[in-house]
Amino acid sequence: MEMEHVTSTDDIRVEGPLKHLQQVSFAGPIALELGGSLPRVTCAFETWGTLNSDCSNAILVCHAVSGDSHAASHDADDAPGWWERLIGPGKPIDTDRYFVVCPNVLGGCRGTTGPSDPMPSAGTNGESRPYGADFPDITINDMVDLQRRLAHHLGIDRWHAIVGGSLGGHQTLSWVTRYPKSTKHCIAIATSSRLTSQALGFDVVARNAIQTDPNFAGGQYYDRAEKPTTGLAIARMLGHITYLSSEAMDSKFDPDRHDPRHIASSFEQRFSVGSYLAHQGQKFTTRFDANSYITLSMAMDLMDLGRSRLELMESFDDCECDFLIISFSSDWLFTSQQSCEIVNALTALDKPVTYAEITTIAGHDAFLIDADIDQYAPLVRARLSEHEPPPPETTEAEQLIMGLIPEGASVLDLGCGQGGLLAELRKRGHDRLIGVEVAQDGIHAAAAQGLNIIDCDLNQGLPAFIDQQFDFVILSETLQVVANIETLMEEMLRVGKHVIVAFQNFAHRSLREDYVTRGRSPRATGLYDHEWYNTPNRRFPSIADVHDLCRTKQAIVHRAIYRDSKNQCEIAADADPNLNADLAVLLFSKSSGE
Amino acid sequence: MEMEHVTSTDDIRVEGPLKHLQQVSFAGPIALELGGSLPRVTCAFETWGTLNSDCSNAILVCHAVSGDSHAASHDADDAPGWWERLIGPGKPIDTDRYFVVCPNVLGGCRGTTGPSDPMPSAGTNGESRPYGADFPDITINDMVDLQRRLAHHLGIDRWHAIVGGSLGGHQTLSWVTRYPKSTKHCIAIATSSRLTSQALGFDVVARNAIQTDPNFAGGQYYDRAEKPTTGLAIARMLGHITYLSSEAMDSKFDPDRHDPRHIASSFEQRFSVGSYLAHQGQKFTTRFDANSYITLSMAMDLMDLGRSRLELMESFDDCECDFLIISFSSDWLFTSQQSCEIVNALTALDKPVTYAEITTIAGHDAFLIDADIDQYAPLVRARLSEHEPPPPETTEAEQLIMGLIPEGASVLDLGCGQGGLLAELRKRGHDRLIGVEVAQDGIHAAAAQGLNIIDCDLNQGLPAFIDQQFDFVILSETLQVVANIETLMEEMLRVGKHVIVAFQNFAHRSLREDYVTRGRSPRATGLYDHEWYNTPNRRFPSIADVHDLCRTKQAIVHRAIYRDSKNQCEIAADADPNLNADLAVLLFSKSSGE
């Protein structure tokens, strides 16, 4: 059963002490973004691998709200970490090659300074009571600033990569927007530029549950017998619902909904989902501090890089890294739409970016679940790898297209498949190249080439790109599967100074004869060959049709190449290509100059 | 702005006393489904209109978890009700024609017996303390049983219709499954046969918040100064998030997310969504009882008519009413998928059912929002109306199909449009008729004919229907827009003893000539006329193609009619219909006998 592979955040948590924990303290006062300061800060962290001599192989891993520094095991005897599948010798984040650092966040409760730590008292020598509610409001930027102190302490000026999911993803985005030269690669998983109002609403309710727990005592509960465990457990229950998709919850709880696992708890356990939530809520209170929960969730809620493309473009304008953005189809806490908003701003800024939406029922938790890590790990490996596999062979159409693109031109390839054309162009020295693909195997193969690929359905237009962004927009052997050709045509002309469309001519002699003599639905050959009732093709354009559409859209055709592929020869424009050519390549644009 | 029309449940609530409230008491003991009994029960209700002499014009309206009997105003001076748009003189639930009854539910706190009412003490004369937590667990069936006592009290043996949304929808389903002959029409809106695990999880967290509030005092808080208002407010905040879609919340709160409306509250108000939730949560505690909330939400959570089609078929097997099922596209609390599960069971049982999914961003609250009520009100009006508008004219293809269907045959019409063919068949005396349509205007028009229409995309197959359910399955002038023709073909042969497909022949002489001489993408004429790049058509079948597909699927063609529509004549089978006919009607089946 599929759910056997779905493990929630908590099930894979390590409860033991962090025996490989290192700590470093920084003298203060350390100023905070929202005002105020901390007199002294300790940062706890773990590391894997070895820093090389020029300190250029360091990767920063950022954990999520209830995570910690134990991202992976350190040796065979060590407990597995929360990203065990991703980090280790030979793994996508390869500790044989990279020096990996994972700090506990500021404001947490696993060794880095947070509300449960003693507040150094002013004017005296000793340490006094814990901060509690006196711990100042902090932001993601404050967390990042502490990580930056840690980097300097370790001798790292620039990260090779910064990687994180959820709140960890927020940290990666804060790093690159606050310190634009701080890393070569930014890998942001299951995250957003700011929370949806819905996610914000859930956090507000969770904090209200904690803060109205009478044992919260205004945050000063550390010396009391009773802690605000009820409020914290309720907050965690709520969190768990939002980490899973509805489908995943039904798979897990619906079959035995009236048959709860009975646990010792004062919470309701009438339904299986109730006993699960009670268990998770209670377990959480044994390892997490309520003030830390409030501090971290508020920092997350205050995160705001903007939402409109213009706001986001302003936030990311100075970045000097490339980006890998990953979202999960069933994640309703940090949605694919939110990742797309970031991607659309990055592409508009011409930043190198690859984006993939992973198909899964696991919801937000997917970024921590082995089966889903296996889906996105190849993208992480490709981004961090310096080796590229041999590029796929180019098709005849792609070779013709290559001949039409001048040196150095920027190119957007729509429906780029495995990236053959783009890889060839890169070999020829082009550097502003980007592909769009919707098939996951295509995205993976093209990403493995080190190409920048955006996961996007062409029927939705080209929202990721701005007006006249590319010298050339390519649509090669893809026209026939597009439903909204009219919109796409307008979008290509908007985004590209020139457009090249290569397509099979469905009015070629052989097809016409087939239609006339056999009386059959038009049907492509070669790559396109399917039955009429199950072909992915939904348009059957002729050369004449496409020329007409260009006229309708006021596009001027500058070059047209017509081929008879079977006989490997060109068909002249005056030799009735609409009858005699089976392949056409048209280069056109809005303006009259080529 | 769209959100101006979006009003949440609470914003339209009437806070004043229910001045038109009537009450009736029933002596006990009244047995309850889960065991135990109530010694005496009072039922509070409101009525509109006049009961006719044979008591056949009564409509029962069932309210949602935080609603009450005040569904509509009684006169110009009266406060509007929560379904004001739907109930009143000349409205879809027309109080000039119908006697409308809306009772407060058992277990609530608006006049019908609930946990806040005094518990009659055994052995003494006086009334003692309120039930509190001693109020027994009740079910939706118990609510319905009390409503049935009320019906008998009013002289009503059978309802003309039972209508409700959300928890009110659960009541309608409980009525018809528990008392199969109790109504002519069942109208169930935004509801389900049982809750998703996710919805159940939210309810559990809400109850935990109430029951762990120290002021809850085990449910015996009525004589205490402090009530469990904190827990109840948190429960309500959570409810409000689930009643709205994420998109609706963003419309409402994202633009001014950091700019809350400040209200007097001990709850967090840092974000606009937080101050809204605090306001709604606090307001709720002034009009609702915490024990009632627990009682009603538990009754809802215990509702379980099954989920698999077989379980649901068993639940609905005896029903003698027809059904109108309505869901909302952005409702994630009671999803369209859940409505479809009910619909699929009803259709499998040959129960008359119309199902429509209303497109809206409002989420679950849509059933109470004017703009969305306006979308589904015509369906309610059509279901309750006895007048049918004149049927739409039938097409040539439909007339040919009529000639192939023997008297009394059951018919499923796929892509039925406005229901012209089905209306004609009904005129001819057929009674087992059902249509499938995906376009909302088609659904409305066909429903206005009093036909049973299912909102379903043919590309998803025919999950609503069981093997060999219909004598005839019709696909008229729809083949060319279907992507998954192969699946649909198999599904039609599975569901129908016979299949009739009427389609334009894309290999007709005129189109072939056009293709050959002009070299253009195939293009339909008449109704189907679009440009090649924006036509909804995605298949271009010829007569020969469809015959081939029949062979591939081992279907035997029993009758074939070929027409030359332009010349209004028939083309004989040996006169090359694939060239000469522009319209074809094929009757085929899996078996050899017709």
Side-chain angles (χ1 to χ4, degrees), chain B residues 524-542:
Chain B
T525 54
L527 269 179
Y528 309 96
D529 197 11
H530 286 89
E531 296 295 337
W532 66 274
Y533 50 79
N534 63 13
T535 175
N537 301 340
R538 55 176 299 158
R539 303 295 180 207
F540 301 91
S542 69

Side-chain angles (χ1 to χ4, degrees), chain B residues 216-227:
Chain B
F216 183 67
Q220 302 301 5
Y221 49 79
Y222 296 105
D223 58 353
R224 297 164 64 121
E226 297 292 325
K227 307 285 186 291

Side-chain angles (χ1 to χ4, degrees), chain B residues 28-43:
Chain B
I30 288 161
L32 299 170
E33 189 180 14
L34 300 178
S37 65
L38 289 164
R40 185 171 76 231
V41 168
T42 297
C43 182

Side-chain angles (χ1 to χ4, degrees), chain A residues 14-233:
Chain A
V14 185
E15 301 297 331
L18 303 173
K19 64 178 175 177
H20 293 268
L21 202 66
Q22 306 171 51
Q23 284 189 314
V24 55
S25 287
F26 302 102
I30 288 161
L32 299 170
E33 188 180 14
L34 299 177
S37 65
L38 289 166
R40 185 171 76 230
V41 168
T42 297
C43 183
F45 61 101
E46 295 180 47
T47 67
W48 299 258
T50 309
L51 189 63
N52 62 11
S53 56
D54 62 353
C55 301
S56 65
N57 73 333
I59 293 181
L60 176 68
V61 171
C62 305
H63 69 74
V65 72
S66 62
D68 58 29
S69 60
H70 197 59
S73 60
H74 294 267
D75 50 52
D77 298 334
D78 199 14
W82 49 269
W83 248 354
E84 190 70 26
R85 199 91 164 181
L86 207 58
I87 302 170
K91 295 184 182 174
I93 299 176
D94 186 351
T95 52
D96 286 340
R97 294 175 56 211
Y98 295 111
F99 176 63
V100 178
V101 182
C102 184
N104 286 297
V105 291
L106 181 68
C109 49
R110 298 283 278 176
T112 295
T113 299
S116 58
D117 290 311
M119 177 164 62
S121 17
T124 75
N125 282 335
E127 289 179 337
S128 66
R129 64 172 177 81
Y131 283 99
D134 291 329
F135 195 80
D137 275 351
I138 60 166
T139 64
I140 308 277
N141 283 342
D142 295 326
M143 297 176 186
V144 162
D145 283 357
L146 176 61
Q147 291 166 353
R148 193 151 169 268
R149 284 175 190 260
L150 173 64
H152 291 165
H153 166 77
L154 295 170
I156 299 160
D157 275 336
R158 186 170 186 245
W159 300 100
H160 183 70
I162 302 175
V163 189
S166 195
L167 177 70
H170 288 140
Q171 292 164 54
T172 70
L173 299 180
S174 167
W175 260 103
V176 299
T177 50
R178 194 163 173 83
Y179 304 110
K181 300 178 208 293
S182 58
T183 186
K184 188 174 175 195
H185 307 294
C186 172
I187 302 180
I189 303 174
T191 194
S192 66
S193 63
R194 71 184 190 198
L195 269 64
T196 62
S197 300
Q198 187 185 70
L200 205 52
F202 283 124
D203 278 351
V204 169
V205 175
R207 283 193 295 270
N208 280 333
I210 296 171
Q211 290 176 319
T212 59
D213 183 329
N215 291 323
F216 182 69
Q220 301 300 5
Y221 49 79
Y222 296 105
D223 57 354
R224 295 165 64 121
E226 296 292 325
K227 307 285 187 291
T229 49
T230 299
L232 183 58

Side-chain angles (χ1 to χ4, degrees), chain A residues 137 194-195 197 207 250 254 257 268 270 307 506 512 515-516 519-521 535 542 545 548, chain B residues 137 194-195 197 207 250 254 257 268 270 307 506 512 515-516 519-521 535 539 542 545 548:
Chain A
D137 275 351
R194 71 184 190 198
L195 269 64
S197 300
R207 283 193 295 270
D250 271 342
D254 198 54
R257 59 162 41 202
E268 181 190 308
R270 188 141 190 172
R307 177 149 191 201
F506 280 88
R512 286 199 218 190
Y515 193 52
V516 172
R520 298 312 174 107
S521 179
T535 174
S542 69
D545 286 328
D548 268 7
Chain B
D137 275 353
R194 72 183 190 199
L195 269 64
S197 301
R207 282 193 296 271
D250 271 343
D254 199 53
R257 60 162 41 200
E268 180 190 308
R270 188 143 190 171
R307 179 150 190 199
F506 279 89
R512 288 199 216 188
Y515 193 52
V516 172
R520 298 312 173 106
S521 178
T535 175
R539 303 295 180 207
S542 69
D545 286 328
D548 270 6

Side-chain angles (χ1 to χ4, degrees), chain B residues 430-487:
Chain B
H430 294 254
D431 56 359
R432 284 180 54 216
L433 300 172
I434 198 157
V436 167
E437 182 53 63
V438 73
Q440 197 152 315
D441 56 351
I443 295 169
H444 275 70
Q449 294 282 334
L451 296 164
N452 290 304
I453 306 299
I454 307 294
D455 187 345
C456 169
D457 177 3
L458 296 179
N459 287 310
Q460 308 304 316
L462 302 172
F465 307 101
I466 58 172
D467 297 357
Q468 303 292 291
Q469 188 173 351
F470 295 91
D471 296 322
F472 286 81
V473 173
I474 312 296
L475 185 75
S476 178
E477 301 176 281
T478 302
L479 187 66
Q480 78 285 348
V481 297
V482 177
N484 299 334
I485 286 182
E486 192 168 15
T487 304

